[in-house]
């Protein structure tokens, strides 16, 4: 299984935004696959996490998916490799995200197990949502947090189905 880590900067900036009533803070997310940093960028994080979770359907269907980080913009691209793995690429520009021929040496690609990616994404999304609600429980009904919660349930369904799938 591929070693995958998703880290969100839960520092003072995050706390300040959440306590002021923002449920979609601008913070940095880093993605590491196999010990290599694939993407580090800032974005409206609730929106980005929701979009990453919503991409699970496409990832398991073997379809390309492009997630735009708003702080740039930069992109995280998921491309099919085989039944169990995907290519994950951090791209610095629109053309590179949409056309692999346009990628530069700074655009980093890693091979990733689908289940491992979704497992780590769900773990981080649950932690993210919990941290927000611990800081500001009044955000419970925020549309982004509701979207994240529903998408976590959907991602867990895919994990359950893929685990029980005959090999």
């Amino acid at each position: 299984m591929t070693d995958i880590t998703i880290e969100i900067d839960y520092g003072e900036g995050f706390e300040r935004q959440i306590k002021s009533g923002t449920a979609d803070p601008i913070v940095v997310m880093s993605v590491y696959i196999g010990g290599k940093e694939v993407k580090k960028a800032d974005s409206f994080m609730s929106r980005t996490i929701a979009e990453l979770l919503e991409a699970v359907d496409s990832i398991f269907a073997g379809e390309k998916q492009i997630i735009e980080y708003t702080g740039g913009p930069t992109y995280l691209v998921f491309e099919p490799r085989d039944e169990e793995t995907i290519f994950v690429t951090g791209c610095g520009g629109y053309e590179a995200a949409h056309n692999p021929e346009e990628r530069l040496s700074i655009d980093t690609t890693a091979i990733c197990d689908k289940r491992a990616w979704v497992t780590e994404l769900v773990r981080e999304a649950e932690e993210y949502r919990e941290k927000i609600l611990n800081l500001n429980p009044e955000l419970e009904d925020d549309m982004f947090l509701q979207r994240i919660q529903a998408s976590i349930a959907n991602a867990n369904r895919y994990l359950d189905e893929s685990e029980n799938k005959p090999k």
Side-chain angles (χ1 to χ4, degrees), residues 74-138:
T74 61
Y75 305 85
L76 194 60
V77 181
F78 301 90
E79 295 165 305
R81 180 173 181 260
D82 60 33
E83 189 67 29
E84 295 181 8
T85 61
I86 50 176
F87 293 105
V88 180
T89 305
C91 295
Y94 179 88
E95 291 300 323
H98 290 83
N99 181 358
E101 300 295 317
E102 298 292 324
R103 294 188 181 150
L104 305 172
S105 61
I106 60 169
D107 297 324
T108 306
T109 300
I111 296 171
C112 179
D113 178 83
K114 291 177 186 179
R115 283 185 48 77
W117 168 258
V118 175
T119 299
E120 174 62 7
L121 177 59
V122 165
R123 183 205 62 77
E124 185 61 45
E126 288 173 338
E127 179 180 340
Y128 177 81
R129 189 173 180 281
E130 181 179 310
K131 285 187 182 287
I132 287 175
L133 294 176
N134 284 339
L135 289 168
N136 190 341
E138 293 176 13

Side-chain angles (χ1 to χ4, degrees), residues 7-115:
E7 296 176 354
I8 294 174
D9 180 359
Y10 293 116
E12 288 178 28
F14 173 82
E15 289 185 16
R16 186 173 47 256
Q17 292 175 77
I18 300 305
K19 286 178 179 177
S20 74
T22 300
D24 194 14
I26 298 173
V27 292
V28 173
M29 173 190 276
S30 301
V31 175
Y32 301 92
I33 299 175
K36 175 170 62 171
E37 184 178 271
V38 175
K39 188 79 204 144
K40 181 176 187 171
D42 61 333
S43 193
F44 286 101
M45 199 49 57
S46 293
R47 187 171 320 175
T48 300
I49 289 175
E51 289 172 0
L52 286 166
L53 286 163
E54 289 162 358
V56 168
D57 293 344
S58 295
I59 289 170
F60 275 96
E63 301 167 357
K64 180 176 181 173
Q65 192 68 42
I66 300 171
I67 305 300
E68 181 178 346
Y69 285 69
T70 52
T74 61
Y75 305 85
L76 194 60
V77 181
F78 301 90
E79 295 165 305
R81 180 173 181 260
D82 60 33
E83 189 67 29
E84 295 181 8
T85 61
I86 50 176
F87 293 105
V88 180
T89 305
C91 295
Y94 179 88
E95 291 300 323
H98 290 83
N99 181 358
E101 300 295 317
E102 298 292 324
R103 294 188 181 150
L104 305 172
S105 61
I106 60 169
D107 297 324
T108 306
T109 300
I111 296 171
C112 179
D113 178 83
K114 291 177 186 179
R115 283 185 48 77

